[in-house]
Amino acid sequence: MTASNHTQAWLSAGSTGDVFVYSIIRASSGDFKCFNTGSFHEIHSMKKRKNSGFFCLILLLEISIASLACGGGDDDSSNLPPNRIGKSINYVSNMPGIKVDTKKVREIIYPLFTVPAIIKKGENLSVKVDTGGLVPSNWSVTLTSIDGSPVTFSRTLNVIGISSGSSYWRTSSTIYEVLVDIPADILSALYDITVSYNTSSGMISDTQPHSVCVVDEYNKDFSFVHLTDMHVGSPRNNLDSTEVNEAGFWSPDKFRRWLYIQKTIREVNLLKPDFVVITGDIVFGQLNPLEYVYEYEEIYRVLKEFKVPVYIVPGNHDCYAQDAMITDGQLYWTNYFGPRYFSFNYGPYAHFTGADSFDWDKSDRAGAELLVKTWGGQIREAQMSWIRSDLETNSYNRMPV
C-alpha cells in the first residue's frame, strides 16, 4: 500500500477461526508491509501446522493483510478432560479477593492502559478526567516508570491549563481537559500516569498503567505488532493433550498460567515495536455466567507484562451477556479498558481507527454455556456515525509523510 499523505488504517476484530495469530507490520514511506506472519504455536512450539484460518487488518486504501493461523473454529468442547474448564477450583480458591464490581477505569478517561498516548518530548498532552460531579482544584499530573523498569523514575509535569471537556463514550457533565507539558529532558520510556486533585470530599487520585509513551522522535519507518484471539480461559487450549502445560490452564501459580501468551509478550518486548494492536477475543466468556469475573482480571494482569504501548478493541468473546445482571461483557470491557472503539495518531505519519465489530444489543449477545445467540459482526449507527466523523475529520487534516 502506498500513500503520499497521512495514512489511515481501520482496525477491528477479524475472523481467525478463534486461534492466536500474530503479524509484524512495518510502515515505510507510506507503505504498510507485513514482513513476518504466522501462528503463536509456530513461534513458541515450533510446530508447523496446516493453515485453517486467517485474519485481516483492513486498511482504508482497500488493502488487506492475510495471516496464517492454526487450529479450528467454534468447535464442540464437550470432550475436554475433567477439571479443565473455567470453573477450575485452582483459580477460584487462590484468588478470593476478586469482586464483580472491579473497575480499572475511573477518573482518568484518556490516556488509558489500552488507549495510550505516544507523544514526543517537548509536546503538550491533553489528559481527560471525569470528576464525577465534584469541583476540582490544585491539579497534579505525574509520570512514573512502569513495574519492572530497570530504572525507577517519577516526574511531576507542568500543568499549562484546565478546560471543560467532553467524551463520546463517557456521559458526564464534569469532564476536564488537563493540558500538560512533556519535558524535553524526560527519559524516553513507557509510563504510568497519575492525576490528583482536591475536592470538597478530599483528595482524589487515579492512575492508569502503561498509558503514556514518551519518544525522542516519531519513526517514519515505524513498526507495530498485530495480535489477536488470546482467549484466556478457553478450554480449547487443552484439546491437544501435548500442549496442556504450554497453556498453563488455571495453574495455581500465576507465573505458570497462559505460558503461550507470556512467551509471546516476551518476544514482542524483545522486538521493541513502536506499539502493539490487539484485535479482540482476549478472553473466552462462553462457559459459565461468572467467568468474566476472573478472565478479565487475568488478562489485565498478563497484558501489563508488555513494555510497549498496546491498543485493544474487543471481539465477540469479550462481550457476551450470559445473564440479566452481572455478566455483560461490554460492561466488563468498559470497566477494565474504557471505550470499545477509538482512534489514535502515530505522530504525523498514520491515523488508526479501532472499531467494535460485535456491536449488538445485549439481548442479541445473550447466551448460556457454550450456546450463544450470535457471534457474527455488525456496527450500529451510533458507532458508524462516530467512525464516519473521525475519518472525515482526519481526511481533511492530512499531514505529509
Side-chain angles (χ1 to χ4, degrees), residues 279-300:
T279 52
D281 282 6
I282 57 177
V283 296
F284 187 65
Q286 203 176 328
L287 278 178
N288 62 80
L290 290 176
E291 70 184 282
Y292 279 144
V293 176
Y294 43 80
E295 287 181 355
Y296 266 93
E297 189 71 17
E298 274 291 274
I299 191 60
Y300 190 90

Side-chain angles (χ1 to χ4, degrees), residues 366-383:
E369 297 294 327
L370 294 175
L371 301 176
V372 293
K373 194 170 182 179
T374 182
W375 51 78
Q378 77 160 359
I379 295 177
R380 290 186 288 181
E381 184 54 37
Q383 182 182 178

Side-chain angles (χ1 to χ4, degrees), residues 108-113 115-129 139-144 155-163 176-184 186 189-195 208-215 218 311 343-345 347:
I108 299 174
I109 60 174
Y110 179 81
L112 298 170
F113 178 25
V115 191
I118 302 176
I119 189 162
K120 189 172 73 171
K121 295 177 181 180
E123 293 184 339
N124 295 334
L125 172 64
S126 180
V127 181
K128 287 193 175 186
V129 180
W139 292 88
S140 174
V141 180
T142 303
L143 296 183
T144 305
R155 182 76 171 265
T156 299
L157 305 180
N158 179 36
V159 176
I160 300 173
I162 311 292
S163 60
Y176 293 86
E177 295 201 20
V178 183
L179 191 65
V180 296
D181 173 61
I182 303 299
I186 195 172
L190 183 63
Y191 293 97
D192 300 342
I193 190 170
T194 299
V195 175
Q208 273 294 309
H210 297 217
S211 53
V212 177
C213 181
V214 178
V215 297
Y218 299 111
Y311 298 89
S343 65
F344 69 95
N345 289 338

Side-chain angles (χ1 to χ4, degrees), residues 258-300:
W258 328 119
L259 293 183
Y260 60 102
I261 301 178
Q262 292 189 53
K263 291 180 180 180
T264 299
I265 291 174
R266 286 197 293 268
E267 182 164 325
V268 170
N269 289 338
L270 290 172
L271 288 170
K272 297 182 179 179
D274 293 283
F275 55 91
V276 171
V277 169
I278 302 177
T279 52
D281 282 6
I282 57 177
V283 296
F284 187 65
Q286 203 176 328
L287 278 178
N288 62 80
L290 290 176
E291 70 184 282
Y292 279 144
V293 176
Y294 43 80
E295 287 181 355
Y296 266 93
E297 189 71 17
E298 274 291 274
I299 191 60
Y300 190 90

Side-chain angles (χ1 to χ4, degrees), residues 6 44 92 116 127 153 160 177-178 206 251 275 305 324-325 331:
H6 187 67
H44 302 305
V92 175
V127 181
F153 179 84
I160 300 173
E177 295 201 20
V178 183
D206 187 27
S251 168
F275 55 91
E305 296 301 314
M325 295 181 292
L331 178 60

